[in-house]
Amino acid sequence: PVRLRLFANDDSGADVFDLRADTRTTAALGHLDMKGVLFNLTASPAGDRVLAHEPDGAVRVWSIGDGGASGDGGAPRVLARLPREQMCGGFLPDGRVAIAHGSVQIGARVQIYSPAGELERAIDLGRGAFSCVIDGKRLLVAVDARPNPRQDHQQLWLVDPDDGAARALDPRMRLL
């Protein structure tokens, strides 16, 4: 890629930089004001937004823009606050945010949010902890509802965020 987003993180938050490989220059875009070190960031395909699972347990969608070059106001700002139970998530090609969250106690759920952060759709996948992968348009979610930790009861689901369809895949398949 010609352009990369870099994050320098410490206890005061994260500074956002734009690295241009073609000109070998960096430019500071702003600061994400949060406390503590981030441990999970997912950038949108355009690089203008970030899904951040923050140290206080909050999950936020940040607009990081381009430092004001396009007239977007420049300074990073929070666009949306999402459920704290987020386990994995990312951006869909149309700008929406897809997250999967839950626990063995409350169950697994996929939620689709508009680019502005409004909930559009919730898809329940049953009880269990899980992990997920977003392939761009769809989500592959592994729900593990094992009553006994020595047994493997993982079920893979293919979820379409547009119509809410969730299809269980062959029970022999595993997400590694």
Side-chain angles (χ1 to χ4, degrees):
V2 174
R3 185 173 118 186
L4 298 171
R5 291 297 162 100
L6 303 176
F7 298 88
N9 189 221
D10 61 23
D11 288 338
S12 71
D15 292 318
V16 183
F17 297 90
D18 189 35
L19 170 66
R20 294 204 47 105
D22 56 346
T23 61
R24 297 183 184 186
T25 59
T26 58
L29 296 181
H31 181 77
L32 306 183
D33 187 21
M34 60 189 77
K35 302 298 177 213
V37 178
L38 292 170
F39 58 91
N40 187 0
L41 281 176
T42 305
S44 66
D48 60 340
R49 293 180 299 147
V50 173
L51 180 65
H53 194 165
E54 298 177 18
D56 64 359
V59 179
R60 295 182 179 93
V61 178
W62 287 83
S63 169
I64 56 176
D66 59 7
S70 65
D72 68 354
R77 65 189 185 286
V78 174
L79 294 176
R81 289 169 176 77
L82 304 180
R84 288 178 176 258
E85 298 88 6
Q86 181 232 358
M87 296 292 290
C88 59
F91 293 91
L92 298 170
D94 61 6
R96 293 179 297 164
V97 177
I99 64 167
H101 67 101
S103 68
V104 173
Q105 293 78 24
I106 66 171
R109 172 177 285 174
V110 171
Q111 291 181 312
I112 310 300
Y113 291 86
S114 72
E118 290 128 13
L119 180 64
E120 290 184 350
R121 180 181 307 275
I123 306 156
D124 289 316
L125 298 178
R127 300 187 76 70
F130 59 89
S131 56
C132 74
V133 175
I134 298 175
D135 75 356
K137 179 151 174 56
R138 298 169 301 171
L139 290 83
L140 181 63
V141 181
V143 176
D144 189 356
R146 54 184 143 174
N148 179 340
R150 292 193 176 114
Q151 296 176 355
D152 187 9
H153 292 278
Q154 188 181 81
Q155 175 65 60
L156 289 181
W157 293 84
L158 189 61
V159 179
D160 185 326
D162 291 330
D163 62 13
R167 181 173 57 96
L169 300 179
D170 186 318
R172 297 171 293 166
M173 293 180 177
R174 298 288 176 262
L175 185 60
L176 303 175

